[in-house]
Amino acid sequence: MKRIVVALWLVAFVLQPLTGQEVKNVIVMIGDGMGVSQVYAGLTANRGSLNLEQCQYVGFSKTYSASDYITDSAAGGTAIACGVKTTNGTVGMDAWGNPVPSILALAAKNDLSTGVVVSCDLTHATPASFIAHQPKRSMEEAIAADYLPSGVTVCIGGGRKNFENRSDGKNITQQMKAKGYQVAYTMDEVTKVTSGKLLGLLAEQHPAAYPERGNMLPDAVAAALHILKNNEKGFFLMVEGSQIDWGGHANNQEQVINEMLDFDRAIKVAFDFAEKNPNTLVVITADHETGGLALNGGNFETGEVNAAFTTKGHTAVMVPVFAFGAGAREFAGIYQNTDFLPKILKLYGF
């Protein structure tokens, strides 16, 4: 009898990461434009190591959109957030223009706290995919207004002008204050908020590139987690390392590496939280690759990277998926970018 009990316990232990009941918190981290070469360039520049190497499981995601072989961030973000392929330029809607709920909205519906932390404008394509429902990613004022009914608990990034200095004269910030949001305009103000709802608008448009913006991204992740963990039922948090993509568009090797390493520091914050809270899943991926980055040489001892670009746009290659913590095994393999949502819903047990 004792052997049977031990055997059953071992089976339960092995299967534990796959059960929805064991995953209470999910952190999805998107390196915009981050392909395998961007990861390895950062690893080389960091003299042979990255925090994300701690991930137990690795996979690949197919990124094409409903309209194009090469996706943009709007369609790529919507696929991850909402589980549907849509047309390039569309956020939070399917290819026929129907609004689709995101994993963030579904988490909120199930009484979980939710958050968005980005190193770009909060109305940019990727964060918009988790919050808004608009046919064009360029409709940034409409996207800002979509934050009002979203119920998101914590949002930190740039984009003050789309909330406050709008063409329609509305002040979305004041409307969010009326709904109980605390508003912060600096990281010092952000870190003083330890509970409740927070709107952090840290720049008029986009935060500066790294290193000019300092530790904004990892510090904002830590601040968001400090608030979100107050919910005993759990939370969903999306974090974007937004400007890896911009370095790719500019064919700027130094910017790609700087942003990749800053994103990796934010990853460490998430891993540290997951280690202290073992019912937490961290998934790291990208919406697409940018720049067609190729590594033609390097040196781990000096951190030297010899890279070249094939385009100033996006490419169609599969992007990596790294998973850490509870339920991480679910993200091994090769699958569609639309598979993130059903995998997460399964692990939550919704």
Side-chain angles (χ1 to χ4, degrees):
M1 182 65 182
K2 186 178 289 186
R3 288 182 179 178
I4 293 174
V5 171
V6 170
L8 289 172
W9 182 87
L10 286 171
V11 169
F13 180 79
V14 170
L15 294 180
Q16 177 179 335
L18 298 178
T19 61
Q21 291 81 359
E22 297 301 332
V23 177
K24 188 172 81 169
N25 311 312
V26 176
I27 306 170
V28 172
M29 309 188 74
I30 299 173
D32 197 317
M34 182 192 76
V36 173
S37 293
Q38 284 79 358
V39 172
Y40 209 69
L43 184 149
T44 304
N46 206 44
R47 291 170 172 78
S49 68
L50 287 176
N51 293 302
L52 63 73
E53 291 182 82
Q54 297 177 53
C55 289
Q56 303 103 320
Y57 294 94
V58 179
F60 281 96
S61 167
K62 303 173 188 177
T63 64
Y64 63 87
S65 72
S67 61
D68 292 86
Y69 185 63
I70 299 176
T71 191
D72 78 327
S73 292
T78 297
I80 296 169
C82 304
V84 297
K85 296 277 188 183
T86 194
T87 52
N88 283 7
T90 302
V91 291
M93 305 176 83
D94 65 20
W96 297 272
N98 302 303
V100 184
S102 72
I103 183 61
L104 185 146
L106 294 171
K109 186 177 180 180
N110 283 272
D111 300 322
L112 274 62
S113 293
T114 57
V116 170
V117 174
V118 295
S119 54
C120 65
D121 189 323
L122 281 167
T123 62
H124 216 237
T126 304
S129 299
F130 287 81
I131 294 289
H133 308 284
Q134 299 297 337
K136 295 181 181 179
R137 59 182 289 180
S138 59
M139 300 170 67
E140 293 185 328
E141 291 189 354
I143 291 167
D146 279 344
Y147 273 81
L148 275 167
S150 73
V152 61
T153 311
V154 178
C155 32
I156 306 172
R160 182 173 179 176
K161 75 180 184 69
N162 292 315
F163 284 80
E164 299 176 5
N165 303 316
R166 299 162 54 89
S167 61
D168 60 8
K170 294 180 180 178
N171 190 317
I172 303 301
T173 299
Q174 290 301 324
Q175 293 181 44
M176 293 187 74
K177 278 185 177 179
K179 296 188 76 169
Y181 284 86
Q182 301 159 88
V183 178
Y185 295 111
T186 67
M187 275 307 303
D188 284 343
E189 293 176 357
V190 164
T191 55
K192 291 176 182 176
V193 179
T194 58
S195 62
K197 292 186 174 184
L198 170 66
L199 171 63
L201 296 171
L202 305 181
E204 185 70 8
Q205 190 171 9
H206 302 296
Y210 188 86
E212 185 181 343
R213 69 172 176 268
N215 291 324
M216 172 252 157
L217 186 61
D219 288 352
V221 173
L225 291 172
H226 192 64
I227 297 171
L228 296 173
K229 71 179 183 182
N230 292 326
N231 188 337
E232 293 183 358
K233 292 185 177 180
F235 63 78
F236 174 84
L237 172 64
M238 190 283 288
V239 177
E240 184 188 33
S242 315
Q243 299 189 37
I244 301 170
D245 174 68
W246 301 357
H249 282 300
N251 286 184
N252 185 326
Q253 172 185 314
E254 182 180 6
Q255 184 178 11
V256 168
I257 291 171
N258 281 342
E259 295 293 341
M260 183 66 229
L261 293 179
D262 186 52
F263 185 50
D264 190 59
R265 284 186 283 272
I267 289 168
K268 183 181 187 303
V269 174
F271 284 178
D272 288 347
F273 180 89
E275 287 179 344
K276 294 176 183 176
N277 300 271
N279 48 8
T280 301
L281 166 68
V282 183
V283 180
I284 303 148
T285 190
D287 46 359
H288 54 73
E289 193 275 346
T290 304
L293 183 65
L295 303 184
N296 300 318
N299 187 304
F300 290 124
E301 292 184 3
T302 64
E304 177 188 358
V305 177
N306 179 13
F309 296 87
T310 64
T311 178
K312 291 199 171 184
H314 301 168
T315 65
V317 297
M318 293 189 296
V319 294
V321 184
F322 305 92
F324 179 92
R329 182 187 296 181
E330 194 75 19
F331 293 87
I334 299 174
Y335 41 86
Q336 295 285 353
N337 53 5
T338 54
D339 288 339
F340 287 93
L341 182 136
K343 288 177 184 290
I344 293 170
L345 290 181
K346 173 185 173 183
L347 292 168
Y348 270 140
F350 292 165

